[in-house]
Amino acid sequence: NGVYKLPVFPLQAVGLPTTRISLHIFEARYRVLFNTLLAGASDATVDEGLVQEQSPYLGSRRYGLVYADASGKLAEVGCLMEIEKQKALADGSMLVVMRGVDRFRLVRLLRKEPVLEWEVAAVRDEDHNLPPDQEEAAPVRQLADEVRALFCSTLE
């Protein structure tokens, strides 16, 4: 039925399927979450002391990104994100690049602390395979590729 549980990261940014977002993870509770999500990954540097071994999200690399306005109010629809790249920094924070996978609708809040956990329902788009207008999309794709390349160069 497409209903599942997900840790949710509220942010003043919007994730969309197939797009990439780059973040600097520095807040303690999100450092714990992202270290837990990346646990066991051969391509990630994980602080084992921050990994929650009993988490159902251990090693999943996936979480929900939901737009939150300045007052903290959440949008009703978010995006399932998957971590693609990570670089641990000397101060314990990390840089991550993630890709949007699917959209979901918030159904029910399960937990507020230390991070939000929601029951969510998958959103299916009837016309999700329609090709974008290539002429209009080209400059946007070029700019996005340039920004992504610059960010990824910091991960190397």
Side-chain angles (χ1 to χ4, degrees), residues 85-144:
K85 294 182 183 180
Q86 173 262 8
K87 179 180 181 180
L89 302 178
D91 65 359
S93 65
M94 66 176 69
L95 301 175
V96 291
V97 174
M98 47 237 134
R99 177 183 52 84
V101 178
D102 280 314
R103 293 187 317 136
F104 60 81
R105 182 171 310 282
L106 296 175
V107 175
R108 182 171 57 102
L109 178 63
L110 302 172
R111 185 177 60 178
K112 285 187 177 184
E113 300 292 336
V115 297
L116 297 173
E117 182 179 18
W118 279 82
E119 182 177 80
V120 301
V123 172
R124 301 291 176 224
D125 296 319
E126 294 178 11
D127 297 327
H128 69 281
N129 288 325
L130 293 178
D133 182 327
Q134 296 300 317
E135 189 173 315
E136 290 181 24
V140 174
R141 284 197 179 114
Q142 180 180 354
L143 180 59

Side-chain angles (χ1 to χ4, degrees), residues 7-13 27 29-30 63-69 72-74 115-116:
V8 169
F9 190 163
L11 195 65
Q12 286 187 330
E27 190 176 337
R29 62 185 170 157
Y30 294 114
Y63 71 97
L65 180 66
V66 176
Y67 177 80
D69 67 17
K73 182 179 179 195
L74 297 178
V115 297
L116 297 173

Side-chain angles (χ1 to χ4, degrees), residues 2-80:
V3 176
Y4 54 99
K5 296 177 184 176
L6 200 59
V8 169
F9 190 163
L11 195 65
Q12 286 187 330
V14 176
L16 298 170
T18 74
T19 62
R20 287 180 173 78
I21 292 181
S22 305
L23 292 176
H24 179 209
I25 305 299
F26 57 88
E27 190 176 337
R29 62 185 170 157
Y30 294 114
R31 287 175 47 208
V32 169
L33 173 63
F34 278 77
N35 276 281
T36 300
L37 295 174
L38 289 163
S42 61
D43 63 339
T45 303
V46 174
D47 182 340
E48 296 297 333
L50 296 179
V51 173
Q52 293 179 315
E53 296 290 338
Q54 303 305 315
S55 171
Y57 311 109
L58 183 70
S60 72
R61 299 181 85 105
R62 291 183 168 203
Y63 71 97
L65 180 66
V66 176
Y67 177 80
D69 67 17
S71 71
K73 182 179 179 195
L74 297 178
E76 293 179 16
V77 174
C79 189
L80 175 64

